[in-house]
């Protein structure tokens, strides 16, 4: 019993540690001059892609439980926070390494380049979710917490759209991320209630037997 509780909490910390490995690895490669070409752009790109991956995995936790009975809910907060920290690192790379903290250019970029406006909006929406991801906020906000965290649908579609618009040449990768984001949000909005009702009905039939 105690061992399983210790493992549960240790495994969550393991998710954080493993989750930060790509960032630490790219940082090491960048700092030691092992990223070929435009290292800042590559670094920015990789952090952005990992942010999107963590956003997608976070949103996939519920459908995985609904459809396959695999419960990863205890890792969801860690995955969501990893997504947040990757966006923070992506944004910081843009501000510090890409734009050298030239705030006039940054504000201009955010206002005038639609893909950056969308990225910034997604980031801004992610902040209240990260702040309220702790147990105290969940208790305090009650059902409002669920409503607030529905913002994740907008964030994920915004993040995927930002990626699609950022690339100069359309490749399958951003389109695949967008398709996965659309499927995950579509599941939540249109199919989840039906899946849950179907499962409830199956359970009731099984109990009646
Ligand atoms: C949820 C938030 C965000 C996500 C998921 C995200 C994700 C991504 C991804 C996947 C790319 C890769 C595109 C490529 O191949 O270069 C990208 C590029 C980029 N992002 Fe974000 N981003 C987010 C927020 C932001 C914010 C807040 C900014 C700055 C205000 C920003 C600035 C940029 C820039 C400038 C690029 C293009 C880099 C280049 O020129 O190659 N992003 N982002």
């Amino acid at each position: 019993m105690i061992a399983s509780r210790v493992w549960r909490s240790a495994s969550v910390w393991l998710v954080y540690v493993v989750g930060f490995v790509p960032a630490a690895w790219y940082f090491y490669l960048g700092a030691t001059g092992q990223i070929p070409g435009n290292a800042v752009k590559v670094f920015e790109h990789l952090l952005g892609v990992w942010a999107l991956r963590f956003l997608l995995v976070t949103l996939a936790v519920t459908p995985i439980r609904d459809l396959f009975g695999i419960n990863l809910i205890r890792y969801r907060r860690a995955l969501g926070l990893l997504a947040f920290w990757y966006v923070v690192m992506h944004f910081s790379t843009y501000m510090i390494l890409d734009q050298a903290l030239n705030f006039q250019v940054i504000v201009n970029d955010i206002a005038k380049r639609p893909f950056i406006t969308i990225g910034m909006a997604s980031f801004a929406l992610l902040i209240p979710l990260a702040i309220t991801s702790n147990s105290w906020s969940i208790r305090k906000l009650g059902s409002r917490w669920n409503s607030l965290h529905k913002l994740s649908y907008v964030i994920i579609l915004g993040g995927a759209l930002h990626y699609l618009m950022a690339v100069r040449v359309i490749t399958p990768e951003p389109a695949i991320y967008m398709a996965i984001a659309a499927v995950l949000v579509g599941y939540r909005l249109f199919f989840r209630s039906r899946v849950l009702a179907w499962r409830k009905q199956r359970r009731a039939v099984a109990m009646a037997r």
Side-chain angles (χ1 to χ4, degrees):
M1 190 73 181
I2 292 176
S4 99
R5 213 176 302 153
V6 169
W7 162 245
R8 259 192 231 175
S9 122
S11 65
V12 173
W13 284 106
L14 199 64
V15 168
Y16 281 113
V17 173
V18 173
F20 278 115
V21 166
W25 177 241
Y26 301 139
F27 186 77
Y28 165 76
L29 291 180
T32 53
Q34 295 184 69
I35 297 183
N38 187 337
V40 169
K41 286 284 173 207
V42 174
F43 193 52
E44 199 174 26
H45 164 91
L46 291 168
L47 292 172
V49 169
W50 275 94
L52 199 49
R53 286 177 186 160
F54 281 117
L55 283 175
L56 292 172
V57 173
T58 309
L59 212 68
V61 166
T62 299
I64 287 173
R65 186 184 57 175
D66 293 351
L67 300 170
F68 308 109
I70 301 169
N71 192 347
L72 302 172
I73 230 87
R74 86 176 74 110
Y75 304 111
R76 193 168 59 177
R77 183 188 304 178
L79 293 166
L81 283 173
L82 279 166
F84 172 74
W85 288 114
Y86 270 87
V87 177
V88 170
M89 290 188 278
H90 174 68
F91 178 59
S92 309
T93 306
Y94 163 76
M95 294 246 296
I96 302 166
L97 300 179
D98 198 355
Q99 301 300 349
L101 292 178
N102 185 336
F103 286 99
Q104 208 173 333
V105 174
I106 292 167
V107 171
N108 225 27
D109 255 4
I110 293 171
K112 299 226 171 101
R113 295 173 74 190
F115 90 92
I116 297 193
T117 315
I118 292 171
M120 195 63 216
S122 304
F123 179 36
L125 293 177
L126 199 52
I127 294 169
L129 303 200
I131 292 173
T132 58
S133 67
N134 52 76
S135 311
W136 182 82
S137 299
I138 296 171
R139 269 197 311 278
K140 203 82 192 151
L141 290 171
S143 64
R144 281 174 298 160
W145 189 89
N146 282 325
S147 309
L148 178 68
H149 280 250
K150 287 198 173 114
L151 280 179
S152 57
Y153 312 157
V154 181
I155 294 166
I156 204 153
L157 290 174
L161 184 63
H162 164 79
Y163 184 10
L164 208 56
M165 290 168 77
V167 291
R168 281 155 204 89
V169 183
I170 293 287
T171 55
E173 207 186 344
I176 291 169
Y177 282 99
M178 181 44 118
I180 298 172
V183 166
L184 289 172
V185 173
Y187 172 78
R188 281 301 184 92
L189 295 180
F190 307 113
F191 297 109
R192 182 161 192 241
S193 53
R194 282 181 230 182
V195 169
L196 293 185
W198 174 74
R199 285 189 59 169
K200 202 170 157 191
Q201 197 184 352
R202 256 181 38 152
R203 261 200 311 272
V205 170
M207 297 256 282
R209 273 189 194 142

